[in-house]
Amino acid sequence: MFCDIVAGSVPAFLVGSDPSGVAFLDTRPVFKGHVLVVPRDHVVTFPSLPVPELPGYIGLVQRVAAAVPPALGAQGTFVANNNVVSQSVAHLHFHVVPRTKGDGLRGFFWPRTKYADDDEARSYASRIADRLG
Ligand SMILES: [Zn+2]
């Protein structure tokens, strides 16, 4: 499924991409502006990502984590990666979630919220995309 987003055959609210990966909105965000960053090549878990691909891929995760707070007026981010357990899609992805003190995050990743509509999702995606450059 994430391979289809990388290939462009399944639509997503893209926030950025580079030769190593693609970043797009999680459609069931913990907080609005929650981004998933996936490598272009299909690997299932972080440990299975070939070492030569690490700098590019993690570099994109880092750029997204830098862009999200100023783009959305958040104070920081939560960056996370589930491998196998709690990994809902079998294609490596890092979560970058905007955080602000007192935002009420309980546990790690629940409950999830929803975008009001595609326009709202598009607006979150474009704010982060603008900051990513
Ligand atoms: Zn895949």
Side-chain angles (χ1 to χ4, degrees):
M1 167 198 172
F2 288 168
C3 280
D4 299 323
I5 290 174
V6 170
S9 57
V10 164
F13 295 102
L14 297 180
V15 304
S17 68
D18 70 11
S20 60
V22 176
F24 51 90
L25 296 183
D26 190 316
T27 56
R28 294 300 312 277
V30 172
F31 296 118
K32 292 173 182 180
H34 175 170
V35 175
L36 300 179
V37 184
V38 307
R40 287 186 182 277
D41 294 340
H42 180 85
V43 297
V44 175
T45 64
F46 190 44
S48 58
L49 185 70
V51 168
E53 295 182 30
L54 271 173
Y57 174 61
I58 294 300
L60 181 58
V61 174
Q62 185 186 49
R63 291 205 301 126
V64 171
V68 162
L72 303 179
Q75 293 174 336
T77 57
F78 175 60
V79 176
N81 159 245
N82 291 309
N83 294 289
V84 184
V85 176
S86 294
Q87 181 178 3
S88 54
V89 176
H91 183 131
L92 170 60
H93 53 285
F94 267 66
H95 301 261
V96 179
V97 180
R99 293 296 317 272
T100 293
K101 213 168 172 179
D103 58 21
L105 184 64
R106 305 194 298 275
F108 268 113
F109 256 49
W110 296 269
R112 298 291 185 108
T113 183
K114 273 180 165 172
Y115 292 98
D117 51 32
D118 282 2
D119 283 345
E120 188 188 37
R122 205 170 286 117
S123 137
Y124 274 84
S126 72
R127 281 147 70 193
I128 300 167
D130 288 350
R131 180 64 67 155
L132 267 175

